[in-house]
């Protein structure tokens, strides 16, 4: 009887829920701006309301909402991402080669994705699987795209202030409107500054700000609408992240450090993009996108993870010329590593697409052709010191130029929607450093996709997709003799096979997206490292090719508008990513067989379960759980993280033009690892290998006040 009553109540609520169903989400990063429900690919789109409901100031706070997206926590903010187990874990040397694209308002920040504030953001998109037709070499695994709010014709402005534990203060403001009387020129400006101490206490220096975050983001947009057939969007981005980096501890306590030279993890980016859309005629549309970004970054850390007084209080073995222990003496260990980088990127894309009157094959097929060019220049200055003496100094310059031609056909054939795309890309790179090494590889690569979709019944659309992605080959610098055969590595190819079902249930009250995928990686590029036996504080970092690997799994997201006030949502990512064949070189010239082992930073499952309730009288509540399975920290060792679940909540009151929220993150104060190294870093213990873990943010409570001037 109770079940029957519950079922009747749910069915009665469905027509109401359908009326309040979320508006259609459009995937901006796609060529044609398709709706998420019709896109024949696996993607997640979080709009401004969804991001605001869960709170958070940075992309890091939204990561757990996205199935099969992980990150490597070796920086103060997420910079290196893995989609379906594919992606980089770090970049300590000067030859960037990203597997995951990261774009903010058409400005390419791949590999330097720290500049990712959520304030005044319109939507966040993650496209999973190779984007060979649209984005080429930088999107082997997929693409992360952040789009800020566009200018508005009507004037609007507002402010937002957040205060929280860890001495957090976040202040943001925006303004938007028309710059002239006839509404041809629109503008929008958004500014935010975020400050907090960074959750670490340095006991040696008696400071709680050695891991601090001080992040300023400025976005400005101009939209020019001189005619009904032409639109120009000019965007400026300034991001200044002046962050500390003091996260590692010898005893793995996680939050009480003892370094005497705390590190730095800073990035200053100035970028701009100009996007032109012109309906040349009823048959042809022109789109041109020009982007530029200038970034200055510094990543430095105290490599001994402690201080001179600590080491002097310990005994270290003394060795003779044959490495026999002959006594002991107070330890002397002091190591500092520092790399500064300057990066300039510029790109130009021009594409022509069919209009209503330009379709071919009896009006059944839309066409698109285009050309793309990009140039990246990076200057790196690396220096390190060991026990007061210069250890390693290297100045290097790297350049890469990519030229691509691409095309796409989208056809309607009865009940089927078909799509075919192809991209051919030529890449030329040059590297030189003051150690005398130089490389200048060149190669031509290609990728693309084939997809077919059709409506099965009303509200249910299925698709099948085959995509080919690629990533350029490269080179390794400064290798020891034992790795002399690893100087160069080959380009990687990824074939992605995908089946999907996108559904609307109960008159749109429930929306679901399901994707099943299998990825065949050929000549997989693997990041590896060797500890120098003669200088234990130094590592040889290099990339080599595994024979092959396979990744398969699924992504599911479900949204249920249960009533007009209550929304329940959930996501699930399942992943199995493993090597078919891979022999890892060791320092003594031998090999470790990792065939069959899972890839690093590829958890078997990730999930989200949450709900939002908005009462008619203004009260608001959001509660969500985010779970992540254990994963290997690296491909060079077998140390693993532990599975964890984070619980977050937000409640408050929303009036017509203001709102006040109380929020809490990681309510159970879960201690969870986001990056791990396994190596010898303690001379008093004979440099014995040990796992060192960097942990994610602990529990935090705070208040947010928002006021919109209507």
């Amino acid at each position: 009887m109770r079940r029957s009553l519950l079922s009747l109540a749910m069915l009665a609520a469905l027509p109401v829920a359908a009326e309040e169903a979320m508006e259609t989400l459009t995937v901006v990063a796609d060529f044609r701006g398709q709706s998420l429900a019709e896109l024949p690919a696996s993607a997640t789109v979080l709009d401004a309301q969804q991001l605001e409901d869960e709170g958070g100031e940075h992309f890091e706070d939204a990561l757990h909402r996205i199935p099969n997206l992980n990150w490597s926590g070796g920086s103060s903010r997420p910079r290196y991402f893995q989609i379906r187990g594919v992606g980089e874990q770090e970049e300590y040397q000067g030859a960037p080669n990203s597997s995951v694209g990261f774009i903010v308002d058409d400005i390419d920040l791949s590999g330097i994705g720290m500049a990712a504030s959520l304030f005044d953001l319109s939507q966040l998109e993650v496209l999973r699987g190779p984007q060979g037709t649209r984005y080429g070499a930088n999107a082997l695994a997929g693409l992360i795209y952040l789009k800020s709010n566009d200018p508005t014709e009507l004037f609007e402005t507002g402010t937002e202030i957040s205060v929280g534990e860890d001495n957090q203060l976040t202040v943001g403001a925006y303004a938007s409107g028309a710059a002239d009387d006839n509404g041809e020129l629109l503008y929008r400006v958004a500014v935010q500054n975020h400050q907090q101490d960074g959750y670490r206490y340095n006991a040696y220096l008696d400071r709680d700000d050695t891991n601090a975050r001080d992040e300023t983001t400025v976005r400005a947009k101009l939209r020019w609408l001189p005619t009904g057939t032409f639109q120009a969007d000019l965007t400026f981005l300034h991001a200044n992240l002046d962050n500390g980096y003091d996260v590692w501890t010898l005893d793995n306590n996680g939050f009480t450090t003892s370094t005497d030279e705390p590190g730095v993890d800073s990035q200053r980016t100035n970028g701009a993009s100009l996007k032109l859309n012109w309906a040349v005629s009823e048959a042809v549309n022109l789109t041109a996108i020009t982007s530029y970004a200038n970034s200055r970054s510094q990543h430095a850390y105290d490599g001994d993870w402690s201080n001179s007084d600590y080491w002097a209080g310990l005994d270290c073995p003394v060795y003779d010329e044959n490495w026999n222990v002959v006594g002991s003496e107070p330890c002397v260990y002091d190591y500092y590593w520092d790399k500064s980088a300057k990066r300039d990127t510029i790109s130009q894309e021009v594409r022509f697409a069919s209009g209503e009157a330009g379709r071919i094959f009896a009006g059944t097929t839309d066409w698109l052709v285009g050309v793309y060019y990009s140039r990246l220049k990076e200057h790196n200055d690396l220096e390190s010191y060991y026990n007061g003496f210069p250890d390693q100094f290297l100045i290097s310059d790297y350049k890469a130029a990519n030229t691509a031609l691409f095309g796409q056909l989208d056809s309607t054939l009865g009940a089927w929607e078909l799509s075919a795309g192809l991209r051919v890309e030529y890449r030329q790179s040059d590297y030189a450093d003051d150690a005398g090494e130089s490389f200048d590889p060149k190669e031509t690569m290609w990728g693309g996709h084939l997809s077919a979709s059709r409506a099965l019944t009303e509200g249910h659309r299925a698709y099948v997709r085959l995509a080919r992605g690629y990533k350029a080959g490269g080179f390794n610098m400064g290798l020891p003799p034992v790795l002399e055969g690893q100087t160069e590595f080959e380009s990687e190819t990824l074939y992605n096979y995908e089946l999907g079902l996108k559904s609307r249930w109960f008159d749109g009250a429930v929306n679901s997206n399901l994707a099943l995928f299998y990825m065949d990686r050929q000549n997989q590029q693997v990041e590896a490292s060797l500890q120098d036996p003669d200088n234990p504080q130094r590592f040889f970092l290099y990339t080599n090719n595994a024979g092959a690997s396979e990744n398969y799994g699924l992504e599911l997201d479900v949204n249920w508008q249960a009533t007009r006030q209550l929304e329940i949502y959930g996501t699930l990512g399942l992943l199995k990513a493993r090597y078919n064949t891979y022999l890892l070189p060791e320092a003594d010239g031998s090999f470790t067989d990792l065939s069959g082992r899972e890839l690093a930073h590829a958890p078997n499952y990730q999930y989200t379960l949450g709900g939002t309730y908005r009462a008619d009288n203004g009260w608001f509540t959001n509660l969500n759980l985010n779970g992540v399975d254990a994963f290997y920290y690296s491909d060079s060792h077998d140390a693993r993280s532990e599975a964890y679940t984070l619980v977050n909540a937000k409640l408050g009151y929303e009036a017509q033009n203001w709102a006040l929220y109380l929020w809490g993150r990681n309510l159970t104060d879960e201690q969870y690892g986001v990056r791990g190294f396994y190596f010898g870093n303690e001379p008093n213990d004979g440099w014995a290998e040990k796992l060192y873990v960097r942990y994610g943010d602990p529990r935090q409570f705070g208040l947010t006040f928002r006021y919109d001037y209507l």
Side-chain angles (χ1 to χ4, degrees), residues 135 508 597:
Y135 290 99
R597 207 207 78 166

Side-chain angles (χ1 to χ4, degrees), residues 368-382:
L368 179 147
V369 294
V371 61
Y372 172 84
Y373 173 80
S374 70
R375 187 191 67 208
L376 181 151
K377 292 184 178 180
E378 184 169 294
H379 175 83
N380 285 271
D381 191 346
L382 169 64

Side-chain angles (χ1 to χ4, degrees), residues 134-196:
R134 178 68 181 91
Y135 290 99
N138 276 353
L140 173 79
L143 176 77
I144 300 169
Y145 190 96
L146 277 66
K147 182 184 181 301
S148 61
N149 283 318
D150 289 325
T152 56
E153 292 186 22
L154 299 178
F155 178 75
E156 61 181 38
T157 184
T159 60
E160 184 175 281
I161 300 174
S162 294
V163 294
E165 293 180 292
D166 193 43
N167 202 26
Q168 177 182 332
L169 175 62
T170 306
V171 180
Y174 71 91
S176 180
D180 59 359
D181 294 334
N182 54 16
E184 290 184 0
L185 184 62
L186 311 178
Y187 71 90
R188 190 178 191 94
V189 179
V191 182
Q192 185 193 55
N193 177 256
H194 171 80
Q195 298 183 30
Q196 64 182 114

